[in-house]
Amino acid sequence: METNKPQRNSTSDTVRQSQTINKEEEQILLDPYNHILQTGNEKLVDLNFPNIFNYWLKIPQDKLNAISDIIHMMETVGFMFDDIQDDSPLRDGGPTAHNVYGIASTLNTVLYIMTIGLKRVMELNHPEAAQIYAEQVKHFCAGQGTEIYWRDNYICPSEAAYKRMAIRKMSALVTMMWKLMQLFSDNEMDVTNLIGILGLYCQIRNDYSNLYLDEYAKGKGYCEDLTEGKFSFPIIHAIQKNPGFKEITNILKQRTKDIEVKRYCLNLLKKFGSDEYTRTVLEELDKEMRDEVERLDGNPLFHKVLDSLLNWKN
């Protein structure tokens, strides 16, 4: 008499099934990513950069949509990666992904989305696309790693070194967007200088906003860069201008959360003119970008987004 035995999948069946990720499994992998998508953080796509660049490049809509999606994905995981490296508690006023889902799961999601991004790049069906992706991810990591090295080893960089780091870190995704779009355009215009200035401007603007804008404090926490021990642009100016003065460096080493200590540090920056110096540099970079746009035959959409980035003047 035969007995009913439970059927078991063969090993080969299990192997085949492992090659497909079902919806339930993918949802688990994407939870940290979907969490950060809910933030209102400024994004390149939200700032209309795909259409700004397409004013010059005139690529087909399907390619524009595909590249916009790739950049949006990469920028979002960049936020997640940055939050882990800085141990940031907040992103746009809500808890960061790793504070909800843990560092391990969030890092895994970052890598998962990056592989999806690479797959999407390859689906653009251009032989140079993957190389552009790899090169700009490398530049982003180089800039990010340099900044972390300074922070964790208490090394105040020169202003020139800071600018090189900022351009690598902040220009990488914009450069990726431009170069991927240009693959499908007849326009061979070189915007390297414009994108470099934009990257530097955005990094210094972020540094200034972190210390001085109430709106930024609501999203990230009050002067969070001081808690992270970050050598931001105003901090570098103050330290380099007063090499024998150790208080600012000592405050950074404490990774303080004390609001009164942070206010004291801001008073030191004001005393050394670092806030005004930073504003002056931002104004100069803003003018350089506008002049460069005109040199490149103009782009009203670019001027419009530059106007929207002037909230640091308030």
Side-chain angles (χ1 to χ4, degrees):
M1 181 176 180
E2 293 185 4
T3 58
N4 292 327
K5 295 181 180 180
Q7 291 184 337
R8 291 189 300 175
N9 287 345
S10 69
T11 302
S12 59
D13 287 339
T14 304
V15 170
R16 281 195 296 272
Q17 291 168 8
S18 74
Q19 303 306 302
T20 303
I21 301 171
N22 64 42
K23 289 184 179 180
E24 183 179 351
E25 290 168 329
E26 183 152 82
Q27 182 59 52
I28 293 170
L29 295 170
L30 292 178
D31 276 343
Y33 177 76
N34 290 328
H35 169 81
I36 208 69
L37 281 178
Q38 299 171 25
T39 69
N41 211 73
E42 275 180 2
K43 300 179 181 69
L44 294 171
V45 173
D46 296 339
L47 290 172
N48 206 32
F49 268 100
N51 289 318
I52 290 170
F53 285 162
N54 213 34
Y55 179 89
W56 283 315
L57 295 174
K58 305 291 192 295
I59 70 171
Q61 190 64 44
D62 62 329
K63 297 297 184 185
L64 180 64
N65 292 342
I67 293 169
S68 296
D69 288 345
I70 291 165
I71 297 302
H72 189 216
M73 289 168 55
M74 295 303 295
E75 189 168 29
T76 302
V77 298
F79 292 145
M80 296 163 68
F81 199 46
D82 189 67
D83 288 340
I84 291 171
Q85 291 175 320
D86 294 341
D87 194 23
S88 299
L90 299 174
R91 168 68 61 178
D92 195 48
T96 49
H98 68 278
N99 275 335
V100 175
Y101 293 96
I103 291 175
S105 290
T106 304
L107 274 178
N108 191 75
T109 297
V110 167
L111 293 174
Y112 185 70
I113 296 295
M114 288 178 72
T115 59
I116 293 175
L118 176 58
K119 184 173 182 292
R120 298 274 181 89
V121 166
M122 295 170 69
E123 289 170 352
L124 293 173
N125 293 320
H126 194 287
E128 297 177 32
Q131 177 64 30
I132 290 169
Y133 177 91
E135 191 70 17
Q136 297 311 317
V137 170
K138 182 183 77 172
H139 283 309
F140 170 78
C141 292
Q144 192 85 341
T146 301
E147 187 176 42
I148 292 169
Y149 175 79
W150 292 334
R151 180 195 70 191
D152 291 352
N153 291 278
Y154 311 111
I155 296 170
C156 180
S158 67
E159 185 175 314
Y162 169 94
K163 288 180 177 179
R164 290 193 297 272
M165 175 279 298
I167 292 170
R168 285 194 189 110
K169 172 184 171 182
M170 296 296 284
S171 298
L173 273 182
V174 187
T175 301
M176 184 188 294
M177 183 192 302
W178 174 267
K179 288 190 172 184
L180 288 176
M181 290 177 65
Q182 198 170 36
L183 293 176
F184 305 98
S185 173
D186 294 327
N187 189 332
E188 298 181 355
M189 181 168 63
D190 184 359
V191 297
T192 303
N193 192 49
L194 175 61
I195 291 177
I197 299 169
L198 174 65
L200 179 58
Y201 174 84
C202 288
Q203 182 63 60
I204 295 175
R205 174 180 173 268
N206 286 351
D207 289 353
Y208 181 87
S209 300
N210 186 284
L211 296 178
Y212 296 105
L213 292 194
D214 291 340
E215 178 184 345
Y216 204 93
K218 291 176 184 176
K220 291 280 286 181
Y222 180 70
C223 295
E224 187 62 21
D225 280 353
L226 298 181
T227 301
E228 292 172 10
K230 178 179 176 181
F231 286 95
S232 64
F233 191 76
I235 292 287
I236 291 168
H237 174 266
I239 293 174
Q240 295 288 359
K241 186 178 178 181
N242 304 274
F245 188 80
K246 303 298 183 184
E247 287 196 1
I248 294 177
T249 304
N250 286 338
I251 289 172
L252 293 182
K253 288 180 179 180
Q254 305 309 312
R255 306 291 174 95
T256 185
K257 296 181 181 180
D258 190 307
I259 290 178
E260 291 307 316
V261 174
K262 292 182 179 184
R263 286 175 178 161
Y264 177 74
C265 188
L266 290 185
N267 287 333
L268 291 176
L269 296 178
K270 184 175 182 62
K271 174 183 175 182
F272 299 141
S274 301
D275 53 345
E276 282 303 316
Y277 177 73
T278 302
R279 291 174 67 89
T280 298
V281 171
L282 284 170
E283 289 171 354
E284 291 171 351
L285 291 172
D286 177 74
K287 183 178 185 307
E288 283 185 49
M289 280 190 289
R290 294 175 192 272
D291 290 346
E292 187 70 8
V293 169
E294 292 311 304
R295 189 186 70 79
L296 296 167
D297 297 328
N299 186 327
L301 297 178
F302 210 115
H303 285 293
K304 187 174 180 180
V305 80
L306 289 180
D307 291 341
S308 75
L309 294 175
L310 290 174
N311 61 329
W312 59 267
K313 283 193 166 188
N314 297 337

